[in-house]
Amino acid sequence: MARLQKRALCGLIVSFVWIIALVITFISKGGIDTFVVDQGFEALMVGMMVAGFLAYFITLLVTRGKHGEVTMDERDRAILARARATQLWSAMLTLAVWMVSLSRIYWGQGQVPVQYLYIIFMSTILIVITAENVGILLGYRGTVNLIKDRSKGGR
């Protein structure tokens, strides 16, 4: 398993744990309306985001190569470039879904409640991080399948 692939797998595990912890906390504390009535809930959610960022950053530090060691070849760079494109499209899709759904739900009121800004930001960040890791893992899977096809005489 390549170093970039290991990093993506570890990052995916960390991001899934992070997402599950945020969703469970969000639902168990009462949902979106809790932002309005409980200042502690806002601090808890922001703290969980910071803790998740730190856990993900530590994962990136632990899985990187030693200084001066060549850890990425052309294939890794191509896979990473495609994964970054996946990140961009996932962010745009996430924001489009939020825009359409919230505008339809709150059309009659003329405005979307401010507390949704937290959820929009958190979900976009989590989707972008997860999309990069999934894009890397799928990129390696596609590369392996391409190599197998070529070894069998296919194009």
Side-chain angles (χ1 to χ4, degrees):
M1 186 179 274
R3 186 177 304 277
L4 184 61
Q5 194 174 12
K6 288 179 187 174
R7 187 194 93 178
L9 185 60
C10 292
L12 191 62
I13 292 168
V14 168
S15 66
F16 278 153
V17 169
W18 189 10
I19 290 169
I20 290 168
L22 279 168
V23 168
I24 288 172
T25 303
F26 183 76
I27 291 171
S28 68
K29 293 289 185 175
I32 194 73
D33 294 328
T34 309
F35 277 109
V36 176
V37 295
D38 186 5
Q39 296 285 327
F41 180 66
E42 178 183 346
L44 175 67
M45 293 301 282
V46 170
M48 289 180 70
M49 285 298 291
V50 170
F53 277 124
L54 288 174
Y56 188 70
F57 182 69
I58 290 169
T59 301
L60 295 179
L61 287 177
V62 169
T63 57
R64 73 179 181 169
K66 295 178 181 73
H67 182 68
E69 179 184 9
V70 177
T71 58
M72 291 208 315
D73 58 9
E74 296 82 23
R75 177 188 67 165
D76 295 335
R77 286 183 186 17
I79 288 171
L80 193 56
R82 278 185 252 131
R84 298 278 159 79
T86 304
Q87 278 184 302
L88 174 65
W89 284 105
S90 68
M92 291 182 356
L93 181 64
T94 302
L95 293 173
V97 167
W98 276 114
M99 181 193 67
V100 170
S101 61
L102 289 177
S103 65
R104 291 293 167 202
I105 293 169
Y106 292 102
W107 190 268
Q109 295 177 7
Q111 64 185 7
V112 176
V114 176
Q115 60 266 31
Y116 279 101
L117 295 176
Y118 286 101
I119 306 305
I120 292 169
F121 175 74
M122 289 179 194
S123 65
T124 305
I125 293 294
L126 291 169
I127 292 293
V128 164
I129 290 172
T130 305
E132 180 190 26
N133 294 318
V134 168
I136 290 170
L137 292 173
L138 289 177
Y140 276 102
R141 182 176 177 197
T143 304
V144 169
N145 290 338
L146 180 64
I147 292 169
K148 286 179 184 177
D149 288 345
R150 286 186 180 169
S151 66
K152 292 179 184 177
R155 289 193 167 209

